[in-house]
Amino acid sequence: MMPVQITGMMVLQMVVSGLLAGGLYALVALGLSLIFGVMRVINVAHGALLMLGAYTTYWLFAWFGMNPFLSLLLSVPILFVIGAILQTLFVHRVVYAPELSSLLLTFGISIFIANVAMLAWSADYRSVEFLTGSFILGQIAVSKPRLVSFAVALGLTGLAFLFLNRTKTGKAIRATSEHRDVAQVCGINVRRIDWITFGLGAGLAGAGGSLVSVMFAVYPEMGQIYVFKSFLVIVLGGAGNYPGAFFGGLLLGLVEGLASLFLTAQLSEVIAYILLVIILLVRPTGLLGGRT
């Protein structure tokens, strides 16, 4: 086999593709980081919630022909309500428990949701064939669905940051994230903040699922790979550090993109996990430190 000569344009192509993927990772990981930052709950069900968002978009497209990007207006509120219900019924019981308890509980919720989806919709792969093709910018090809999904993910991430920094509820979430007991003494209803935060995290996961459905197949187990990547992102950026989740997502996408240029797609993911181990050894609090 002739060796492939790697050119500067090929590297640039992978940088662009990696950053586009990283924007989506950042959006999904932000929801996970919010939940962990406020409640110290390790939400393994985050991927299952992403899957429900993807199916919401798929069925709205299949039944009503709805634009999958407009379906975010429904998938995000639906997943917000599902997240708030899960927090109120189950998750609040493990907020003050050891973190292993929340991991086991949300793992059980994840298995339950995935099996219900399997029974309801079977294990068949489905797709939302709405936007295909690429924009050609010089010698760089930019996938249309990836570019639009990246722009939407960036917009939603920006709105989430504005909510956290400019609204009274957002500031209460950040205060609770800093110190629950002090926030409660200052008059913040931390139980209310908990279900709002879990709802927001689920809504962001649902938004990620809706965007993923435009690019990849929809099936009951699709959330697993994204929940692992989300954990990787928040470790890279710093657990509970919201800007860190954004930069961690972009970094993960960039590393995967560049690694795929030199290795196979499967091995490129191994490189990402090697990066995770290095960060844990060198800087356990993540590149941008702990909570913000």
Side-chain angles (χ1 to χ4, degrees), residues 268-282:
S268 69
E269 296 195 3
V270 175
I271 295 297
Y273 287 101
I274 291 174
L275 176 65
L276 171 66
V277 173
I278 293 172
I279 293 294
L280 285 173
L281 290 174
V282 177

Side-chain angles (χ1 to χ4, degrees), residues 101-239:
S101 301
S102 66
L103 190 150
L104 293 173
L105 173 69
T106 55
F107 179 70
I109 292 172
S110 172
I111 296 295
F112 174 78
I113 293 175
N115 278 282
V116 169
M118 189 83 72
L119 287 171
W121 304 312
S122 79
D124 293 346
Y125 283 46
R126 306 167 196 269
S127 61
V128 178
E129 297 179 2
F130 176 75
L131 188 61
T132 58
S134 301
F135 296 107
I136 304 299
L137 305 173
Q139 297 181 43
I140 304 296
V142 182
S143 163
K144 291 179 181 177
R146 284 177 182 255
L147 182 62
V148 176
S149 296
F150 174 78
V152 175
L154 216 57
L156 290 173
T157 303
L159 286 175
F161 282 130
L162 280 177
F163 172 78
L164 290 171
N165 289 301
R166 300 293 177 84
T167 67
K168 186 176 178 181
T169 304
K171 291 175 181 175
I173 289 174
R174 293 176 59 202
T176 308
S177 173
E178 287 292 328
H179 202 298
R180 289 182 67 86
D181 294 336
V182 173
Q184 193 163 19
V185 169
C186 291
I188 294 175
N189 184 340
V190 294
R191 293 289 296 271
R192 175 173 171 271
I193 292 300
D194 283 350
W195 70 256
I196 291 175
T197 302
F198 206 94
L200 278 175
L204 291 172
S210 294
L211 297 178
V212 168
S213 71
V214 181
M215 297 179 285
F216 304 107
V218 177
Y219 56 99
E221 301 292 338
M222 64 178 290
Q224 290 182 357
I225 187 168
Y226 288 95
V227 75
F228 289 128
K229 287 182 186 290
S230 296
F231 278 118
L232 204 159
V233 166
I234 64 173
V235 169
L236 288 176

Side-chain angles (χ1 to χ4, degrees), residues 33-34 36-37 177 234 238-243 289-292:
S33 187
L34 266 175
F36 182 80
S177 173
I234 64 173
N241 188 315
Y242 310 135
R291 300 180 182 187
T292 57

Side-chain angles (χ1 to χ4, degrees), residues 63-87:
W63 289 342
F64 307 111
M66 180 179 283
N67 183 314
F69 297 106
L70 290 180
S71 73
L72 286 163
L73 297 174
L74 291 175
S75 65
V76 173
I78 288 172
L79 266 295
F80 177 92
V81 171
I82 292 174
I85 291 173
L86 287 175
Q87 201 284 331

